[in-house]
Amino acid sequence: MKRPTITDVAQTAGVSVATVDRVLNARLPVREETARRVFAAAEKIGFHATNIIRQRMLADLPIYNLGFILRKERHAFYQVFAEKLEAAALAMKDRRLNVQVQYARSGEPAELAELLLGMKGKVHAIGATGPDHHDVTSAVSLLRSSGIPTFSLLSDFAQGVREAYLGANNMKVGRTAAWMISRLSHTPGKVLLLLGGHRFHGHSLRETGFRAYMREYAPDFEVMDALITLETRRLTYELVMDTISKHQDLVGIYCIGGGMEGVIEALREGNRSEKIVCLVNELTPESRQALLERRISGVLQTPLPELCADLIATMVHTIEHGMAETPGQRFLPAHLWVPESL
């Protein structure tokens, strides 16, 4: 194919070649709206100097460094999370946002606290997901006193000192899961809850919501003591296989935290998966395939594009206008996927 030229950019943008030249080489001032049209046209047709135009446009814009701490670097969900954060930062055209993503290797509070403090002096604001613990609260408090706001994501932590929580209303997510299991089960029976760990505030809220719904609307079901998976595939697999073998009246499984891959593996190997209603969180290639195979009944998904866009905008607003006197919460409704909605 013919390589796009300045003339092609001008025709696509509906401006003169001279205007494109001014934007590209910063010869004379060009209105911001016109520059954006030129950039959009260059990006659309694959003009070779698109990045140069973008740099010209961003030259006089405020620059902010945003730090993010996620978990499980190799997990599909967190890979997508990082991609959506980058996309949301790029979508903010009137600021230059540099995104720095780090990954915690464990669920230990000390590691999260260390990663948080390691960003001090390097970023203007931080977003993180992880366990709730006094070590984490102390780190967030120190960052706040240094003028760096911290936002908790997915699972809340450091309430009272963090700037805001962004994610699903975990109590409602738990109640939704309970409603589905009680409705989809052919008969009442035992239900297994799988927690990633007791220190994840979001997991505790989901368990609370689940149990509250069952007590009120489905008392014939027996919600068993929650098992801790440490969000690992192998341990989750072993716990599910052991539970299935011991409890013939098991009718439901809700994997509240990570480790759903182990649940799916156990249900594939077991001979009772068609009698067990199973719900997991987050739509990944593996959970999507399990839905299509009807190994699991539903997936509750965090709306990452909306969360990331809201988070980036909120971080920039906080940097420019200061931290809130009263830390708040921003709830986004979880998406529900069932086999027929894929």
Side-chain angles (χ1 to χ4, degrees):
M1 295 179 62
K2 180 183 175 183
R3 189 181 190 186
T5 65
I6 288 181
T7 301
D8 297 323
V9 176
Q11 290 177 347
T12 304
V15 299
S16 67
V17 172
T19 298
V20 177
D21 180 70
R22 290 201 301 272
V23 173
L24 182 59
N25 297 294
R27 298 185 192 281
L28 292 171
V30 177
R31 289 194 308 167
E32 181 180 346
E33 179 184 351
T34 302
R36 290 188 183 282
R37 285 168 56 193
V38 171
F39 172 71
E43 195 172 40
K44 179 179 179 180
I45 68 175
F47 184 55
H48 65 90
T50 300
N51 286 335
I52 295 177
I53 296 175
R54 184 174 189 273
Q55 290 171 9
R56 299 292 190 201
M57 291 174 59
L58 296 177
D60 297 326
L61 297 181
I63 302 175
Y64 301 128
N65 298 319
L66 307 180
F68 299 95
I69 301 172
L70 305 180
R71 306 188 65 245
K72 296 186 177 182
E73 183 174 4
R74 296 182 180 180
H75 196 280
F77 171 73
Y78 288 105
Q79 290 175 357
V80 173
F81 201 162
E83 292 172 2
K84 297 304 180 184
L85 287 169
E86 291 277 4
L90 287 173
M92 183 165 283
K93 304 299 185 181
D94 56 352
R95 305 289 190 279
R96 293 180 64 183
L97 305 179
N98 299 316
V99 171
Q100 303 175 24
V101 179
Q102 296 185 22
Y103 295 88
R105 296 184 178 182
S106 71
E108 291 300 317
E111 182 188 13
L112 177 56
E114 182 179 355
L115 289 171
L116 286 167
L117 294 176
M119 288 188 170
K120 182 182 177 184
K122 301 176 183 177
V123 299
H124 295 91
I126 300 173
T129 184
D132 188 28
H133 188 269
H134 59 80
D135 287 345
V136 177
T137 301
S138 296
V140 173
S141 180
L142 180 59
L143 289 168
R144 184 179 181 88
S145 66
S146 301
I148 302 174
T150 302
F151 298 81
S152 61
L153 312 174
L154 307 182
S155 180
D156 204 1
F157 59 74
Q159 297 91 344
V161 292
R162 52 91 173 126
E163 180 62 16
Y165 162 76
L166 287 89
N169 183 326
N170 288 302
M171 185 78 77
K172 284 189 175 181
V173 171
R175 293 183 67 89
T176 301
W179 180 87
M180 285 195 67
I181 288 179
S182 65
R183 292 286 179 168
L184 294 178
S185 297
H186 297 300
T187 60
K190 292 179 179 177
V191 180
L192 172 64
L193 301 183
L194 298 167
L195 289 178
H198 290 303
R199 288 174 175 166
F200 288 94
H201 188 258
H203 296 188
S204 297
L205 286 179
R206 291 181 182 185
E207 181 186 9
T208 299
F210 191 98
R211 292 183 182 278
Y213 178 90
M214 286 299 202
R215 281 196 305 269
E216 186 175 0
Y217 295 108
D220 291 340
F221 288 80
E222 179 186 346
V223 183
M224 304 168 67
D225 290 339
L227 300 180
I228 304 300
T229 68
L230 302 179
E231 300 202 312
T232 60
R233 178 177 190 143
R234 181 48 46 185
L235 178 56
T236 306
Y237 165 81
E238 293 173 354
L239 291 171
V240 173
M241 290 295 287
D242 181 64
T243 303
I244 290 176
S245 66
K246 290 181 178 178
H247 301 279
Q248 295 301 310
D249 56 346
L250 182 70
V251 298
I253 298 175
Y254 177 33
C255 186
I256 292 176
M260 66 175 173
E261 299 84 1
V263 178
I264 293 169
E265 182 182 356
L267 292 175
R268 281 200 180 106
E269 292 186 11
N271 57 5
R272 293 173 48 215
S273 60
E274 71 281 355
K275 299 179 181 179
I276 298 174
V277 179
C278 178
L279 301 179
V280 301
N281 294 295
E282 308 310 345
L283 190 67
T284 66
E286 192 149 2
S287 62
R288 181 186 182 91
Q289 185 59 36
L291 259 186
L292 291 172
E293 296 174 357
R294 286 170 167 71
R295 303 290 180 184
I296 59 177
S297 307
V299 175
L300 292 157
Q301 180 189 26
T302 302
L304 287 180
E306 295 89 339
L307 186 153
C308 292
D310 195 2
L311 172 62
I312 295 294
T314 304
M315 293 175 91
V316 170
H317 182 273
T318 303
I319 292 169
E320 295 180 344
H321 297 89
M323 288 179 269
E325 293 183 7
T326 305
Q329 295 176 309
R330 291 176 178 267
F331 292 137
L332 294 94
H335 296 167
L336 174 62
W337 293 91
V338 296
E340 300 308 320
S341 62
L342 291 177

